[in-house]
């Protein structure tokens, strides 16, 4: 899922500047599941903003709205009628939701209330760990289902660097070495041989290095009238 | 490709000639300053001159900004030493690496060490973006193809003079997974590496085990393996390496040797203790080189004495390896 973390209140207050009327907009999908920007977090932030702005002597009028998905037109369109009179929308959706709001409702600025951090797996309650970088050219089929692009600090394709010690990455003592994990899986399946071929330089043009990525599926497009 | 006056050598570098002639080779290391001070490079070069075949010039070592490896290499060449340019994948993509290597070759560099690079989180710009467009194995192959096939990474022909480097890499026999280490060396050999330098060795048992695996795989006949050594100048430094440097194992005997060197010197006599520790560091390093020489598959040593360049000459001398061979 897409995972995010709420920005600190001080940063949000600075972003909001002198706004008088703010709509805090949540999203009911990924950021709800990761407890960053669902209905509950919208309520908490809205309360914080009301209190903080009151303490700062410029009480803001803060309202709340959470839609099922901020990244699809059909879900955000119903917000149109609620936007009248608001100075800004503070979105607690991921970066896609924030931009969807700005594109759909260009007359009002939508600001980000969370930092979108990663495509992660909730490995245990309260812990999300990155698993995918959306590089556009999936190589999980050659690395026993463990992604070195997302999980190796140096994105190595030909085995571990010299900083792998007892299964741990040198960069962070809480991070397993991706190549140790890959190696262990190769041993488990008795397929070490598959790791011995040299992997050629990656085609990064499928990643963001190639510019804006866009998928066009003509078979799904609606015919123009 | 034309051999252009290399007598069949790949690069014609001094290091390559000495290794090919079958001598036990020595390489050293020179760390450039965190400034534009050419004098500091020149000063270190003068301390090191004549002690080894070639000297690695680090490339933003430990991810700290320093005078560039290639710039320093030119200063070193002017002093009559042979540099080994270090190049990491951390700071440059495939365009920049190739371009800088054309420049390095044009300026006279002949040895190259291909490295992944220390992670930027350890250095003085931890908020930097890292590159890692290639990994070190892919870089080795790219540089070999530039030399032997006369092509760039993209496959385009290099029209004109081709950079002919003696290609090196680093290996760490002390990192995990241990069983992967010899295979990773094999991948570097397959990619086209000519010589490798190991991480600092303070665990001879594990290094011997690694070399047995390497010899069994026949890798020592395909690549020159230079064993990494370095003098330890204090007990604190030994403990630091043991406990805090990733991918490094320091056996207690090194620390015990240092302790023994100062047992008879009173604590108040700091200068004498300091001197005794340094002498012990140098002596232990020389002894270790003698021991490494006897291990099958070891073609030489790589002496790392960063910020203690003065130690290199007595170490090499103590190992009975001065003067260095001259090979035409």
């Amino acid at each position: 899922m897409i995972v995010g973390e709420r920005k600190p209140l001080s940063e949000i207050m600075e972003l909001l500047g002198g706004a008088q009327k703010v709509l805090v907009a949540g999203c009911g999908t990924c950021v709800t599941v990761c407890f960053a920007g669902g209905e509950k977090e919208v309520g908490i932030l809205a309360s914080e903003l009301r209190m903080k702005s009151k303490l700062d002597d410029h009480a803001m009028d803060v309202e709340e709205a959470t839609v099922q998905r901020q990244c699809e037109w059909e879900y955000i369109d119903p917000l149109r009628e609620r936007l009248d009179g608001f100075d800004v929308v503070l979105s607690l959706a991921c970066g896609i939701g924030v931009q969807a709001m700005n594109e759909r409702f260009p007359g009002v600025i939508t600001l980000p209330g969370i930092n979108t951090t990663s495509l992660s797996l909730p490995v245990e309650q309260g812990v999300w760990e990155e698993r995918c970088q959306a590089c556009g050219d999936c190589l999980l089929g050659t690395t026993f289902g463990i992604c070195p692009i997302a999980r190796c600090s140096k994105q190595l394709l030909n085995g571990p660097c010299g900083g792998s010690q007892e299964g741990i990455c040198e960069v962070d003592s809480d991070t397993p070495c991706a190549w140790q994990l890959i190696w262990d899986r190769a041993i488990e399946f008795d397929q070490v041989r598959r790791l011995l071929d040299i992997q050629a330089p990656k085609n990064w043009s499928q990643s963001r290095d190639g510019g804006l990525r866009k998928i066009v599926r003509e078979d799904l497009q609606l015919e123009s009238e | 490709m034309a051999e252009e006056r290399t007598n069949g050598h790949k690069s014609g570098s001094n290091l390559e000639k000495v290794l090919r002639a079958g001598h036990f080779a020595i390489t050293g290391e020179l760390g450039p300053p965190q400034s534009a001070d050419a004098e500091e490079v020149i000063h270190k070069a003068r301390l090191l001159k004549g002690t080894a075949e070639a000297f690695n010039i680090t490339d933003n070592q430990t991810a700290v900004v320093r005078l560039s490896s290639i710039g320093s290499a030119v200063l070193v060449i002017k002093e009559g030493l042979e540099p080994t340019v270090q190049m990491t994948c951390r700071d440059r993509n495939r365009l920049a690496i190739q371009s800088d290597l054309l420049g390095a070759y044009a300026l006279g560099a002949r040895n190259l060490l291909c490295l992944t690079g220390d992670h930027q989180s350890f250095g003085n710009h931890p908020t930097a973006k890292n590159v890692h467009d290639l990994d070190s194995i892919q870089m080795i192959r790219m540089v070999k193809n530039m030399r032997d096939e006369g092509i760039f990474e993209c496959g385009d022909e290099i029209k004109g003079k081709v950079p002919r480097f003696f290609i090196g890499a680093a290996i760490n026999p002390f990192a995990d997974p241990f069983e992967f280490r010899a295979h990773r060396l094999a991948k570097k050999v397959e990619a086209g590496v000519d010589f490798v330098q190991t991480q600092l060795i303070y665990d001879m048992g594990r290094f011997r085990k690694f070399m047995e695996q390497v010899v069994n795989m026949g890798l020592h006949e395909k690549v020159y393996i230079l064993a990494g050594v370095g003098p330890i100048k204090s007990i604190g430094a030994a403990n630091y390496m043991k406990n805090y440097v990733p991918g490094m194992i320091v056996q207690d005997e090194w620390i015990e040797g240092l302790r023994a060197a100062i047992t008879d010197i009173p604590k108040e006599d700091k200068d004498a203790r300091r001197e005794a520790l340094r002498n012990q560091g140098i002596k232990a390093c020389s002894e270790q080189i003698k021991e490494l020489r006897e291990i099958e598959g070891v073609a030489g040593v790589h002496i790392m004495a960063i910020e203690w360049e003065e130690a290199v000459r007595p170490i090499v001398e103590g190992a009975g390896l001065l003067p260095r061979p001259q090979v035409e």
Side-chain angles (χ1 to χ4, degrees), chain B residues 201-235:
Chain B
I201 301 164
Y202 297 114
D203 180 346
M204 289 293 277
R206 183 143 166 176
F207 181 66
R208 283 179 200 281
K209 210 167 131 195
F210 171 78
M211 284 307 297
E212 274 169 29
Q213 204 181 339
V214 165
V215 170
N216 284 339
M217 290 168 76
L219 295 172
H220 63 305
E221 286 166 352
K222 298 176 182 164
V223 62
Y224 297 109
I225 297 166
L226 306 179
V229 297
I232 308 178
K233 64 173 135 183
S234 71
I235 294 166

Side-chain angles (χ1 to χ4, degrees), chain A residues 160-161 164-166 195 202, chain B residues 94 133 176 181 184 187 247:
Chain A
C161 76
S164 174
Q165 197 99 73
E166 292 171 358
L195 298 181
K202 187 171 168 63
Chain B
R94 61 192 84 177
D133 174 26
D176 291 316
R181 293 296 147 185
R184 189 158 157 83
K187 285 181 92 163

Side-chain angles (χ1 to χ4, degrees), chain B residues 37-105:
Chain B
D37 188 0
E39 289 307 316
E40 202 172 324
V41 177
I42 292 165
H43 171 71
K44 287 182 176 178
R46 287 177 182 166
L47 286 172
L48 293 167
K49 191 172 183 179
T51 60
E53 277 62 75
F55 299 87
N56 291 24
I57 316 291
T58 53
D59 177 20
N60 291 337
Q61 186 188 6
T62 62
V64 170
V65 174
R66 290 168 186 279
L67 207 162
S68 76
S69 176
I70 295 169
S72 303
V74 173
L75 295 168
V76 161
I77 291 169
K78 281 186 188 158
E79 286 301 307
L81 288 76
E82 182 171 284
T84 295
V85 166
Q86 292 195 181
M87 175 67 72
T88 71
C89 300
R90 178 194 58 226
D91 305 333
R92 296 171 179 84
N93 68 7
R94 61 192 84 177
L95 278 89
I97 292 173
Q98 292 178 102
S99 159
D100 278 351
L101 291 181
L102 293 179
Y105 192 83

Side-chain angles (χ1 to χ4, degrees), chain A residues 153-154 156-162 164-166 170-171 179-180 183 195-202 204, chain B residues 94 116-117 119 122 132-135 137-138 141 153 172 174-177 179-181 184 187 191 246-248:
Chain A
S153 299
K154 299 175 182 174
L156 302 182
L157 294 181
N158 282 292
C161 76
S164 174
Q165 197 99 73
E166 292 171 358
E170 66 175 4
V171 174
W179 276 100
Q180 175 79 56
W183 175 256
L195 298 181
L196 307 184
D197 294 332
I198 295 176
Q199 297 301 314
K202 187 171 168 63
W204 293 106
Chain B
R94 61 192 84 177
T116 301
H119 196 267
F122 295 108
H132 298 299
D133 174 26
L134 306 177
D135 62 29
I137 289 175
Q138 293 160 347
R141 177 166 273 183
E153 174 59 36
N172 186 356
F174 308 103
D176 291 316
E179 298 73 25
F180 202 155
R181 293 296 147 185
R184 189 158 157 83
K187 285 181 92 163
M248 188 170 280

